[in-house]
Amino acid sequence: MTAAAAVLALLGPLAAPAAADPSADEVRKRLKTAAHQLEVVVEQYNDLRLEVKRGHQEADRLRARIAPLERTAQARSSEVGTIAAAAYRTGRAANVIGLLHSGSPQALGDKLAMLEALGTQRGRAIEALAAANRDVAAAQEGLNALAAKERTQGAKLLAKKRHIEAEIARLDALRFDLGISDLPPILEDPPALPPGAASAAVRFAYAQLGKPYEWGASGPRGYDCSGLTAAAWRAAGVNLPHNARAQYGAVAHIGRGQLRPGDLVFYYGNIQHVGLYVGGGRIIHAPQHGERIRFDRADYQPVHGYGRPRR
């Protein structure tokens, strides 16, 4: 035993057994998890873009409302200035002073009334202009806050996105080494549907089958989940926001038994995914990074709810 111990000491510690390579199923599972994480980030980024867009629209509405106030105030101010200048040139200001000493109650009352009206009018114009300027300043402050939020959150989301994409690239390489390949997309002709907006949306979705998932995209070469559903309904003349949660807030909510082709199916508790129902218990959707637009069962993931876009 002493001799054996000496030999082991000379040889050094035994090497640990090499970790077994992950199985194809494990690689697929890890890919799916990483891609799902990326989709969450994409929808957060889409939500942030919508928030900033709404801020700009609100500022535009404020400016449109303020512009007439500014023009009115400026016109009144110019009118007051013109009257004052005319009075100075013609000497009417001196006449007013004379009237104050003329002892004529009627002339004095008329002039005081004119001066009071002039002062009130000018005061209102100045106050209107000041209020307009306050509204513009508030809108600009809101815009600046939104821009700062976009820069801060956008940088965080971009950093997270790059981290997840790096993980997906590593797993893609491992999948390639193991010879794992995705099945080709199933292509079909759209079903015969009654003419209308829903039929147009379904036909559009069928025409996108096989195109790649592309984060933040709404076509024509690729789409993310909410980009596909927004584009499908845009082709039908209905505008939907490019964000799954925002789309859920924009549609009429329906039950599972009410589903018709063209309706939307929303997934996960915090609404991270959306697909377009095409009938027969199936959806067409842009699944996630590394995959192509395809069919899936409507209940392929936990369903949050169902919605019908308002025509």
Side-chain angles (χ1 to χ4, degrees):
M1 290 178 62
T2 303
V7 171
L8 288 175
L10 291 173
L11 291 176
L14 294 176
D21 288 336
S23 67
D25 286 342
E26 289 172 339
V27 173
R28 283 186 182 278
K29 183 177 180 180
R30 288 162 63 184
L31 277 169
K32 194 173 189 68
T33 299
H36 177 68
Q37 291 173 346
L38 177 60
E39 186 176 25
V40 172
V41 174
V42 168
E43 285 302 293
Q44 289 173 346
Y45 192 85
N46 289 339
D47 188 42
L48 178 62
R49 290 194 304 177
L50 284 175
E51 186 176 346
V52 173
K53 182 179 179 180
R54 286 191 294 267
H56 283 293
Q57 290 171 342
E58 178 61 24
D60 289 341
R61 284 192 292 269
L62 271 175
R63 292 190 185 100
R65 184 170 65 85
I66 289 168
L69 295 175
E70 289 180 328
R71 287 195 295 270
T72 299
Q74 289 170 355
R76 288 175 177 175
S77 179
S78 177
E79 181 181 351
V80 169
T82 301
I83 293 173
Y88 179 80
R89 288 195 304 271
T90 60
R92 289 179 181 175
N95 292 336
V96 171
I97 296 173
L99 284 172
L100 292 174
H101 299 283
S102 67
S104 170
Q106 182 64 42
L108 178 60
D110 290 345
K111 201 60 178 177
L112 288 175
M114 184 194 76
L115 291 174
E116 182 180 4
L118 186 62
T120 301
Q121 183 183 32
R122 180 166 185 168
R124 287 174 179 171
I126 292 172
E127 177 55 32
L129 181 58
N133 287 334
R134 286 195 296 270
D135 287 344
V136 170
Q140 188 60 50
E141 184 178 351
L143 276 178
N144 293 340
L146 283 172
K149 181 178 180 181
E150 182 183 32
R151 287 193 298 271
T152 301
Q153 294 195 10
K156 291 180 180 178
L157 292 175
L158 184 59
K160 188 172 183 181
K161 171 184 173 292
R162 285 173 175 168
H163 170 75
I164 294 173
E165 284 185 334
E167 176 66 7
I168 287 176
R170 186 179 68 80
L171 294 176
D172 279 344
L174 183 55
R175 181 172 61 177
F176 178 81
D177 292 340
L178 295 176
I180 302 172
S181 59
D182 292 324
L183 295 175
I186 299 174
L187 304 178
E188 296 180 8
D189 292 328
L193 296 172
S199 176
V202 170
R203 288 198 305 272
F204 181 92
Y206 267 81
Q208 313 314 309
L209 285 167
K211 290 185 178 181
Y213 177 97
E214 184 178 337
W215 84 275
S218 55
R221 292 189 297 255
Y223 302 83
D224 61 18
C225 68
S226 55
L228 175 63
T229 51
W233 272 100
R234 186 168 59 247
V238 177
N239 289 322
L240 291 175
H242 187 164
N243 175 261
R245 186 166 54 252
Q247 286 181 10
Y248 187 73
V251 300
H253 299 163
I254 59 175
R256 174 70 176 83
Q258 299 172 285
L259 271 179
R260 297 201 304 251
D263 292 338
L264 302 182
V265 185
F266 300 89
Y267 296 92
Y268 307 107
N270 52 357
I271 312 180
Q272 299 167 359
H273 191 69
V274 60
L276 185 83
Y277 186 71
V278 295
R282 299 188 303 172
I283 60 166
I284 289 176
H285 67 140
Q288 54 192 10
H289 172 82
E291 298 183 354
R292 295 181 177 275
I293 295 172
R294 67 169 189 245
F295 294 104
D296 258 314
R297 300 187 322 276
D299 59 353
Y300 90 110
Q301 292 292 346
V303 175
H304 179 90
Y306 309 92
R308 180 167 298 154
R310 298 177 173 90
R311 280 60 164 180

